[in-house]
């Protein structure tokens, strides 16, 4: 019985790790949010803030998760190019379905310690702020930058924020800046310039902010978590496609959405 449970935990850890790794690189999907939904965020933050104590408690849990994360991250880096070249619209709706499917679990998690007016205020303010920011960057400023070493370092900083702040839509922001495709291609090909700039930015950001985020979630749990919900809602709304070539494409979009939703729903039931 114990062996079966251990094997089940390994398989579940691999799957969740792969989805979190994929969520770290997929447009509009937050690996940090999936980390929260699957129950790995608090143990991960304990490892980052108190490595010796955290590793002694959770290393068995995180071995399959770490393996799955690496496979998911680099695997999805390759898969993204295929999906988006086949149909950017259908791929986007698949990701939206996955996000929406995780929302009930995320909302339940946010309400574990109550939902007072500060929590609802945080949700509203973060949703409006994130939505306005993404809209401005993508539609008003239409910012485009030329990728180089320092911009890839900036990408690493954003990715670090996406790890320690659940709901941070790193990929969506990089898409708005015109850096996303360059970065994912560099990562999938293990480009030396990209990796030597991106990794230090990511590691430094995680090291500097992990204690702060751990404190916020420990001391102000309802407010911090409802802020995450607001960020997720806004970032999801902002990537919804609005143009379709016909009824067939609209039906395909609906099928992709429900496919992503079903995957998230089944994973929630397994969890």
């Amino acid at each position: 019985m114990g062996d079966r449970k251990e094997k089940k935990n390994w398989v579940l850890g691999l799957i969740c790790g792969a989805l979190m790794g994929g969520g770290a690189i997929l447009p509009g999907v937050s690996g940090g949010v999936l980390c929260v939904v699957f129950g790995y965020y608090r143990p991960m933050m304990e490892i980052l803030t108190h490595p010796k104590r955290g590793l002694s408690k959770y290393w068995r849990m995180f071995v399959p998760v770490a393996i799955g994360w690496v496979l998911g991250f680099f695997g999805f880096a390759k898969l993204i190019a295929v999906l988006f070249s086949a149909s950017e619209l259908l791929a986007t709706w698949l990701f939206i379905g996955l996000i929406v499917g995780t929302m009930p679990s995320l909302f339940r998690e946010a309400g574990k310690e109550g939902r007072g007016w500060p929590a609802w205020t945080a949700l509203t303010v973060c949703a409006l702020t994130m939505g306005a920011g993404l809209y401005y960057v993508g539609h008003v400023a239409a910012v485009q930058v030329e990728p180089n070493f320092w911009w890839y370092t900036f990408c690493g900083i954003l990715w670090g924020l996406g790890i320690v702040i659940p709901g941070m839509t790193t990929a969506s922001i990089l898409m708005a800046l015109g850096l996303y495709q360059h970065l994912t291609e560099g990562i999938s090909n293990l480009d030396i310039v990209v990796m030597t700039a991106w990794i230090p930015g990511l590691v430094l950001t995680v090291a500097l902010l992990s204690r702060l985020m751990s404190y916020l979630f420990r001391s102000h749990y309802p407010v911090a978590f409802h802020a995450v919900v607001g960020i997720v809602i806004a970032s999801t709304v902002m990537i919804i496609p609005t143009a379709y070539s016909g009824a067939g494409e609209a039906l395909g979009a609906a099928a992709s959405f429900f496919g992503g939703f079903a995957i998230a729903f089944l994973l929630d039931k397994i969890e």
Side-chain angles (χ1 to χ4, degrees), residues 10-176:
W10 255 83
V11 172
L12 184 61
L14 284 170
I15 294 173
C16 291
L19 286 172
M20 288 187 289
I25 200 166
L26 292 173
V29 182
S30 169
V33 167
L34 295 178
C35 188
V36 170
V37 169
F38 296 145
Y40 294 109
Y41 183 77
R42 284 186 168 183
M44 181 189 74
M45 295 305 292
E46 186 171 344
I47 290 174
L48 292 174
T49 54
H50 304 285
K52 185 176 180 180
R53 185 180 71 192
L55 285 171
S56 65
K57 288 173 62 177
Y58 299 115
W59 72 270
R60 290 182 182 274
M61 174 196 295
F62 275 98
V63 168
V65 173
I67 295 171
W69 192 96
V70 171
L71 294 174
F73 186 82
F74 287 98
F76 273 96
K78 295 283 189 182
L79 182 60
I80 284 170
V82 176
L83 290 176
F84 274 82
S85 63
S87 175
E88 181 176 346
L89 184 140
L90 297 184
T92 301
W93 273 111
L94 179 67
F95 303 150
I96 292 173
L98 181 60
I99 300 169
V100 174
T102 63
M103 281 300 298
S105 295
L106 185 65
F107 197 70
R108 286 197 304 269
E109 186 74 22
K112 280 186 177 180
E113 297 184 13
R115 303 186 198 274
W117 70 264
W120 289 110
T121 301
L123 187 154
T124 304
V125 170
C126 286
L128 292 176
T129 302
M130 176 61 75
L134 289 176
Y135 182 84
Y136 177 81
V137 171
H139 297 86
V140 179
V143 178
Q144 293 290 326
V145 297
E146 190 66 31
N148 56 36
F149 181 88
W150 297 111
W151 276 114
Y152 289 134
T153 303
F154 173 75
C155 293
I157 293 171
L158 276 184
W159 235 289
L161 290 174
I163 291 175
V164 298
I165 305 177
M168 184 72 178
T169 54
T170 303
S172 298
I173 295 171
L174 294 179
M175 287 180 72

Side-chain angles (χ1 to χ4, degrees), residues 87 89-90 242-251 253:
S87 175
L89 184 140
L90 297 184
T242 56
Y244 302 89
S245 61
E249 191 171 60
L251 288 173

